[in-house]
Amino acid sequence: MKKVLVIALICLSTLAHAQLTSKEEVTPELVEKREAQKKEITKNYLALKDNLILSDSLAVVTNAKALENSLKNFRFKKLSLEQMNEATTKRKEIIALTAEITATKNINKQRKIFETLSIKFWDLAGKFKAADATLHLQMCPMTSAVWVSDSKEIKNPYYPKNMLTCGLVKASL
């Protein structure tokens, strides 16, 4: 009987300790680390977009891989279970799209994949956006293709030679 009581007390003590340590205390260092992760994700997406504007398919591959890695390291916080499932699913879809981009060096195929990636990225942009950043959803009116930019200035990643400045800002965060 004493053994059972001792084991029960040990289990309860371990459980209480696990609960205390599983809820990380929000320290300035953790907040700073999280902001740095958000900035990294946004920076990698924007570099990917910028290299599509330059039609540099090799740099697009590099930036897609960087975006993939930064997304894999990001953990969502302060979401309900339903929101967490939705955000995690979209993040997995974005990661799969970055893998598709890295699998080809054809700039036109990369741009086509980037169209879908940009829609999904915008859906999560509010969770990825650093506190001091502003992001804009821009659209090419000829094709309805969208992309995310940190500037209101239009630089169309889909048609940089013929329609570089063709587009409009649809929304801002």
Side-chain angles (χ1 to χ4, degrees):
M1 183 71 174
K2 284 184 180 181
K3 278 187 177 181
V4 173
L5 186 58
V6 169
I7 292 172
L9 287 173
I10 291 172
C11 288
L12 286 173
S13 167
T14 305
L15 179 63
H17 180 70
Q19 286 178 337
L20 286 174
T21 58
S22 70
K23 293 181 181 178
E24 290 182 24
E25 193 174 317
V26 180
T27 63
E29 293 81 20
L30 283 175
V31 170
E32 190 176 309
K33 180 182 175 188
R34 186 153 179 79
E35 283 299 303
Q37 286 178 320
K38 290 177 177 182
K39 285 179 183 180
E40 184 73 15
I41 290 169
T42 302
K43 178 187 77 117
N44 290 332
Y45 172 89
L46 294 171
L48 177 59
K49 173 196 59 90
D50 291 343
N51 283 301
L52 286 169
I53 293 168
L54 298 172
S55 298
D56 186 346
S57 65
L58 296 178
V60 167
V61 168
T62 301
N63 293 118
K65 191 66 180 163
L67 178 58
E68 179 181 337
N69 290 334
S70 59
L71 285 168
K72 284 181 179 178
N73 294 326
F74 185 78
R75 299 290 170 255
F76 295 105
K77 304 278 187 204
K78 298 180 183 174
L79 299 177
S80 69
L81 181 59
E82 185 179 312
Q83 291 170 327
M84 180 71 75
N85 289 336
E86 182 182 333
T88 302
T89 299
K90 284 186 181 176
R91 179 181 57 197
K92 286 178 184 175
E93 291 170 352
I94 295 169
I95 289 170
L97 290 165
T98 61
E100 283 183 48
I101 289 173
T102 61
T104 183
K105 291 185 179 50
N106 180 312
I107 194 75
N108 292 325
K109 287 181 182 177
Q110 290 172 332
R111 285 186 174 116
K112 192 67 183 161
I113 298 164
F114 185 72
E115 280 184 52
T116 306
L117 187 150
S118 291
I119 293 167
K120 294 183 183 301
F121 187 86
W122 180 255
D123 289 344
L124 294 177
K127 294 167 183 54
F128 294 149
K129 184 183 85 59
D132 62 349
T134 301
L135 296 177
H136 307 281
L137 180 66
Q138 298 178 338
M139 182 184 84
C140 174
M142 305 295 283
T143 63
S144 297
V146 298
W147 65 93
V148 179
S149 179
D150 60 345
S151 167
K152 284 189 174 185
E153 181 185 358
I154 302 294
K155 289 196 177 178
N156 189 326
Y158 303 112
Y159 302 101
K161 289 183 181 163
N162 327 27
M163 297 189 281
L164 178 63
T165 59
C166 179
L168 55 105
V169 176
K170 296 258 313 174
S172 296
L173 283 176

